[in-house]
Amino acid sequence: MPGVGTTDLPTAELVDQINRLREEKRAVILAHNYQVPEIQDIADVTGDSLGLSIEASKTDADVIVFCGVHFMAESAKILSPEKKVLLPNMSAGCSLADSITPESLDDWKVRYPDHEVVTYVNSTAEVKAESDICCTSANAVSVVRSLDADKILFTPDRNLGRWVAEQVPEKEVVIYDGACPTHDVLRAASVERTRGEFPEAVIIAHPECRQDVVEIADEVCSTTGMLDAVEKYPEAKTFIIATENGMLHQLKTRFPDREFVAADGCIGCRLHCPYMKVTGLQDLYFSLAEERFEIFLDGDVIEGARRSLERMMAVPRDH
Ligand code: CIZ
């Protein structure tokens, strides 16, 4: 199902209407770092999925409009069950979140009954509810280290799981076989070709990237971590960014005097998540105007998923 509708309003007027509705409805607009630039620019807050949900739970807004993908809006609902949470475009899914279901997780739990389940936030609320604890790309290593258990079942991202397992060799980490297609498609050969054009560049990669990419990166971190990582290189002019290309807008906005280049050397090519890019200003306008599409979750699911998220939130970030 796509967004809500279309209008012929020119962009400037659409922006005025969105601003009017945001005030009238006492809404807060959140945009993930991978959203299109015009959505990032109109948002009240930009950031990663968990940071945004935490921010939203602190506001006194009545309505949360989450410009991101479905599991992110669910996280906002889990942390703010009393608020109306809207996802402007219902086709904003996530292949990684869809790679694991409560049933497939149950199968793995039967195979590994002694393992504690650590689930990346890129998962559905039902899967979170069946996990022992969640993690994000910003705290995955600390979360695994924080557990008393020596045997871990890490789901659903195999690249993040492998990266964590390398840093916590004292634990046995069994890794589920899911991946984000946008990150998983990138190879070190592409990054090396880009580096050929910018030999002095600092390479920053997301841990959802494959091992060959992570191994040649100077920094490996979450999208929020990338903003901090740039600060560590005051002399560097150019950065090669190995994550979804929406992050380039966020980095360029924060650091206008630096240059940021997509790791595949091609903005809008491979490092492009089609689901992150389905939400436009029209969707946002109709979402506010008609209060659609509202996220509903069962009370049991909210309770279970919240337990996994809150347990995680008690652990400090890695970076
Ligand atoms: O959880 C998020 O926000 C994602 C998908 C990536 C990140 O590192 O921020």
Side-chain angles (χ1 to χ4, degrees):
M1 199 183 347
V4 188
T6 52
T7 162
D8 292 334
L9 284 179
T11 304
E13 212 170 309
L14 206 50
V15 168
D16 286 348
Q17 292 295 330
I18 290 169
N19 288 333
R20 176 184 63 76
L21 286 163
R22 163 171 31 203
E23 229 177 277
E24 200 177 291
K25 308 249 170 163
R26 291 184 29 84
V28 62
I29 300 173
L30 311 179
H32 190 268
N33 291 326
Y34 295 158
Q35 291 286 289
V36 295
E38 55 274 28
I39 291 289
Q40 293 194 32
D41 291 345
I42 205 166
D44 295 295
V45 196
T46 52
D48 62 26
S49 61
L50 190 77
L52 289 173
S53 295
I54 293 172
E55 247 349 280
S57 67
K58 290 186 204 151
T59 75
D60 60 358
D62 296 330
V63 179
I64 298 169
V65 187
F66 207 121
C67 301
V69 295
H70 194 268
F71 79 81
M72 299 180 176
E74 282 188 343
S75 293
K77 184 71 186 173
I78 293 162
L79 294 181
S80 303
E82 72 295 351
K83 289 186 181 156
K84 184 174 270 194
V85 177
L86 305 175
L87 180 71
N89 191 318
M90 267 312 243
S91 57
C94 171
S95 315
L96 175 59
D98 288 349
S99 72
I100 185 163
T101 61
E103 294 75 27
S104 64
L105 177 55
D106 278 348
D107 288 347
W108 280 65
K109 281 162 85 169
V110 169
R111 279 162 66 190
Y112 300 100
D114 303 331
H115 291 58
E116 265 200 41
V117 180
V118 178
T119 293
Y120 189 27
V121 287
N122 294 32
S123 52
T124 62
E126 286 81 6
V127 169
K128 288 183 177 82
E130 297 222 354
S131 303
D132 293 303
I133 187 167
C134 286
C135 72
T136 73
S137 44
N139 64 15
V141 172
S142 300
V143 164
V144 170
R145 279 202 188 116
S146 76
L147 300 173
D148 288 336
D150 290 333
K151 293 180 177 183
I152 308 294
L153 171 55
F154 191 95
T155 81
D157 190 288
R158 61 171 180 254
N159 293 325
L160 179 62
R162 191 218 60 257
W163 185 69
V164 169
E166 266 169 29
Q167 289 172 76
V168 193
E170 65 279 17
K171 301 212 181 202
E172 178 196 309
V173 184
V174 172
I175 301 166
Y176 189 86
D177 192 22
C180 161
T182 304
H183 288 89
D184 200 53
V185 77
L186 186 66
R187 296 291 183 279
S190 288
V191 185
E192 290 294 11
R193 200 182 47 232
T194 309
R195 174 149 60 186
E197 281 178 55
F198 305 95
E200 305 295 326
V202 175
I203 301 176
I204 306 182
H206 195 277
E208 285 178 37
C209 291
R210 293 168 71 102
Q211 185 169 13
D212 59 337
V213 172
V214 164
E215 275 174 358
I216 60 167
D218 299 294
E219 300 288 336
V220 180
C221 46
S222 66
T223 58
T224 305
M226 288 182 183
L227 295 164
D228 298 337
V230 171
E231 310 264 18
K232 283 168 63 181
Y233 297 86
E235 305 296 323
K237 287 247 161 312
T238 308
F239 295 82
I240 293 173
I241 305 299
T243 194
E244 209 284 338
N245 62 38
M247 191 60 203
L248 297 175
H249 180 70
Q250 190 59 223
L251 287 160
K252 285 173 185 167
T253 306
R254 299 273 185 107
F255 304 99
D257 55 333
R258 315 287 191 94
E259 183 180 25
F260 298 96
V261 184
D264 62 352
C266 175
I267 294 176
C269 295
R270 289 167 290 275
L271 294 174
H272 168 99
C273 169
Y275 302 111
M276 277 290 180
K277 300 295 191 267
V278 290
T279 305
L281 289 176
Q282 299 237 354
D283 300 302
L284 179 53
Y285 165 69
F286 281 106
S287 180
L288 278 163
E290 301 184 10
E291 301 195 7
R292 290 167 72 182
F293 293 97
E294 187 167 358
I295 302 292
F296 295 102
L297 292 170
D298 284 350
D300 289 357
V301 171
I302 291 188
E303 202 183 310
R306 194 181 172 107
R307 178 195 34 77
S308 296
L309 282 174
E310 283 182 344
R311 196 172 168 207
M312 169 194 85
M313 279 149 61
V315 178
R317 284 167 52 114
D318 301 331
H319 47 74

